[in-house]
Amino acid sequence: MPLTPRATTTPNSDPTPSPNSRTPKARWIVPAATATALAVVGGVLLWSPADEADAAATPRAAFSAVAVGDIAEQCTKSDSDCAHPKTAALVKQLDPKFVMTMGDNQYDDARLKDFQKYYATTWGAFKDKTKPVPGNHETYDPAGPLKGYKSYFGSVAYPNGKSYYSFDQDNWHFIALDSNSFDSSSQINWLKKDLAANSKKCVAAYWHHPLFSSGEHGNNPVGKPVWKLLDEAKAELVLGGHDHHYERFAPQKANGSADSGGIVEILAGTGGANPYKIEEVQPNSQKRITNTYGVVKLDFTDTGFSWKLIGTDGSTKDTSPSYSCR
């Protein structure tokens, strides 16, 4: 069964690593067409039927998680245009191992009373398995930056008295970061120590302000130093929100150069806030969807990952390649 190297190309991307980049471990994608092929020559079966080929080529998910940002507008289920009750219903149906929210969980000022009146009535159903990070709207609380956010989520969001933390699931290490304070030496120093102590093969990180985006906010360089640290530690995946659309990127370096040994970014600001326009398509962007509400369902194995964007109508809007860990 032929295998395709992990690197994928777009018209504006260069899959060849620069001469100075490290040589990554092989990372593979199994083409769907291969998995469904069946050939018989002279009465001899040359390869497996589709179901057997899929089972052999694609490891079963060890667990699934949901990820999305930009969620609870100040509206309720009684308003037919209110989207966060619909995305919450989708999460309930998917029943993931845990939920990652990439900031701007509650609009507009993320006050505790707003969390209680809106977010809690829908996404609050998954509070016990939600792993949140704050966005810029969580800093607007008149009672103080992140005050309502911290009061609502409690120790889930502040397990060590900080707005950033990490956790493990099977062979994966997840890092939840506060991009409102990426200029803080304490968070950067914590991240260095956390990465150095990690013993898991696969690493994913998530925060609110994406380093790369084709949306109205565009690229946010605040995440570049963090991306470099993650890349040095051979992390696989970064998730973000902030721009209210969905986007996936080919593996790349912090400077935006395509590299098969780089990090994959998913932007998913589709949790319930009003959609934004696509403004300037970035070089390594592979797929962009706006005017759609939904969540990203990630399937993790002990050696890799893949995902789907699922809309509130239950249909799959985008399917990723399957990536292996470095």
Side-chain angles (χ1 to χ4, degrees):
M1 181 181 297
L3 292 176
T4 303
R6 177 194 187 279
T8 54
T9 60
T10 63
N12 297 315
S13 67
D14 178 4
T16 305
S18 65
N20 296 325
S21 64
R22 53 173 161 63
T23 301
K25 297 178 182 177
R27 302 166 84 179
W28 305 98
I29 302 169
V30 181
T34 302
T36 57
L38 176 66
V40 177
V41 176
V44 178
L45 181 66
L46 297 185
W47 60 81
S48 305
D51 56 347
E52 294 181 9
D54 282 341
T58 306
R60 290 184 179 275
F63 63 95
S64 296
V66 158
V68 78
D70 307 273
I71 299 170
E73 290 278 11
Q74 293 186 3
C75 58
T76 63
K77 191 175 183 179
S78 61
D79 181 353
S80 61
D81 293 329
C82 192
H84 65 90
K86 300 172 185 177
T87 54
L90 180 58
V91 176
K92 181 178 180 180
Q93 179 183 354
L94 294 172
D95 190 25
K97 184 73 174 181
F98 57 87
V99 175
M100 294 175 281
T101 62
M102 285 93 74
D104 285 2
N105 305 277
Q106 176 60 61
Y107 288 89
D108 284 326
D109 299 329
R111 298 171 296 184
L112 177 59
K113 66 179 182 180
D114 293 329
F115 268 106
Q116 294 169 337
K117 186 175 182 179
Y118 304 107
Y119 184 98
T121 63
T122 57
W123 281 72
F126 325 113
K127 185 179 178 180
D128 61 343
K129 61 179 179 180
T130 296
K131 308 289 188 180
V133 295
N136 51 292
H137 278 268
E138 274 81 8
T139 70
Y140 301 158
D141 188 346
L146 309 188
K147 184 72 173 181
Y149 169 80
K150 181 178 180 180
S151 297
Y152 178 72
F153 284 111
S155 61
V156 173
Y158 276 71
N160 298 303
K162 304 291 184 182
S163 56
Y164 44 88
Y165 56 95
S166 64
F167 60 97
D168 293 331
Q169 180 66 50
D170 292 12
N171 205 28
W172 279 82
H173 184 62
F174 294 89
I175 307 173
L177 297 170
D178 181 359
S179 56
N180 296 298
S181 57
F182 272 172
D183 58 351
S184 165
S185 59
S186 60
Q187 183 171 195
I188 297 300
N189 289 336
W190 173 88
L191 176 60
K192 291 177 180 178
K193 293 178 182 178
D194 183 82
L195 288 169
N198 171 51
S199 62
K200 300 297 183 180
K201 177 179 177 59
C202 307
V203 178
Y206 57 106
W207 61 82
H208 185 61
H209 304 84
L211 178 55
F212 303 106
S213 172
S214 301
E216 292 185 19
H217 289 303
N219 293 354
N220 197 316
V222 70
K224 185 174 289 188
V226 174
W227 189 287
K228 289 180 178 178
L229 290 174
L230 292 166
D231 194 24
E232 290 171 0
K234 298 184 179 180
E236 335 299 330
L237 173 65
V238 163
L239 302 107
H242 197 42
D243 266 331
H244 302 175
H245 72 279
Y246 164 84
E247 189 166 10
R248 62 176 163 91
F249 288 84
Q252 57 189 320
K253 297 296 187 179
N255 64 3
S257 62
D259 191 316
S260 62
I263 296 174
V264 174
E265 183 191 274
I266 306 171
L267 193 166
T270 57
N274 291 331
Y276 287 173
K277 297 177 181 178
I278 301 300
E279 294 282 358
E280 183 177 353
V281 177
Q282 298 303 304
N284 299 309
S285 175
Q286 292 185 315
K287 184 77 173 185
R288 300 159 302 281
I289 300 174
T290 191
N291 295 318
T292 295
Y293 297 109
V295 302
V296 171
K297 177 181 178 290
L298 295 124
D299 292 320
F300 296 98
T301 72
D302 284 342
T303 57
F305 65 101
S306 62
W307 72 89
K308 294 179 179 180
L309 173 67
I310 302 178
T312 52
D313 62 358
S315 67
T316 297
K317 306 298 183 181
D318 183 46
T319 300
S320 76
S322 293
Y323 294 102
S324 64
C325 298
R326 292 196 269 176

